[in-house]
Amino acid sequence: QALAAAMYFHALKYSKERLQGSDIAAGKSISEEKVAIINHPDVRRMLMTVKAYAEGGRALLYYTSLQHDLAKLADSKAKKAYHKGIIALMTPICKAWGSDTGVEACSQALQIYGGGGFCTDFPAEQYLRDARIAPIYEGTNGIQGLDLLFRKVLGGGGKLVESFAGEVGAFIKGAAAGPMGAEAQSLGIHLKDLIGVTQQLGG
């Protein structure tokens, strides 16, 4: 996630400086005046993707780290067990999702540079190479997937996912009437999908 964040800022800077192509707002009237590539919708899409991966991954890591603190501060065995259970559930997700999206983010950011990104004039190609080893270093992500499914999800009879779903459900309920109501509603749909998939796998 650190590489994804670094690549975002490098690619953002480059996209503001690199002049190429006409503004799409001109329609068919292609002008001689070239614009910074950040004006092109596809470049903005890639930047937003990289930013979402970097910030989403960071939030996931913060949330999991918070569980460590809460487990240490827990005033009962039940609370300590709950937070340790969430850590167990989140660890393979942090490792696999975090490293996979880190690679994808660096790849998307390199694309913004075009052919130049593959040259040593820019840090993009180095960052992508550095990120690519993470899905292997973290224990080979297919193994993390097996750990998540068989040990954390099915191994506990789905109780860990059920606990996490309850926490997310409470958040959705609290956020539904606020400024993030639409996002909370969307999250609720995905939560139902998660519960449904878990129940199907458990069956």
Side-chain angles (χ1 to χ4, degrees):
Q1 296 308 313
L3 287 168
M7 276 290 276
Y8 170 73
F9 289 111
H10 278 293
L12 178 64
K13 181 176 183 291
Y14 179 81
S15 70
K16 290 178 178 179
E17 296 171 351
R18 171 66 169 162
L19 302 178
Q20 186 175 12
S22 302
D23 193 334
I24 195 171
K28 294 181 179 179
S29 304
I30 297 179
S31 65
E32 291 296 322
E33 184 180 355
K34 302 306 175 188
V35 297
I37 61 172
I38 196 170
N39 289 285
H40 301 320
D42 194 48
V43 171
R44 291 202 299 275
R45 175 192 61 80
M46 288 187 281
L47 284 168
M48 288 292 286
T49 299
V50 176
K51 189 172 191 281
Y53 280 147
E55 292 183 356
R58 187 181 300 151
L60 182 64
L61 293 170
Y62 284 160
Y63 171 77
T64 307
S65 298
L66 174 63
Q67 303 308 309
H68 282 274
D69 293 339
L70 293 174
K72 285 181 181 178
L73 297 170
D75 56 8
S76 71
K77 287 184 178 180
K79 287 182 181 178
K80 185 182 284 289
Y82 170 79
H83 294 299
K84 285 191 172 183
I86 297 297
I87 293 167
L89 180 66
M90 290 294 129
T91 296
I93 297 172
C94 286
K95 287 182 173 184
W97 187 86
S99 54
D100 277 347
T101 56
V103 174
E104 177 60 23
C106 289
S107 179
Q108 288 272 347
L110 186 144
Q111 185 74 20
I112 292 167
Y113 285 86
F118 223 66
C119 302
T120 54
D121 296 344
F122 302 102
E125 49 88 29
Q126 180 67 56
Y127 282 14
L128 179 55
R129 277 205 308 276
D130 291 346
R132 185 58 189 86
I133 195 62
I136 300 171
Y137 278 162
E138 291 299 341
T140 307
N141 283 351
I143 303 302
Q144 295 297 337
L146 291 173
D147 173 55
L148 174 65
L149 178 59
F150 291 106
R151 291 177 62 193
K152 309 299 169 54
V153 175
L154 300 180
K159 290 187 188 300
L160 286 177
V161 176
E162 190 177 317
S163 296
F164 177 68
E167 188 176 330
V168 176
F171 170 81
I172 292 169
K173 190 175 180 180
M180 294 182 66
E183 287 81 0
Q185 185 178 5
S186 178
L187 181 60
I189 293 169
H190 292 299
L191 180 61
K192 286 180 182 176
D193 289 341
L194 172 66
I195 293 168
V197 168
T198 303
Q199 289 173 342
Q200 192 171 20
L201 290 169

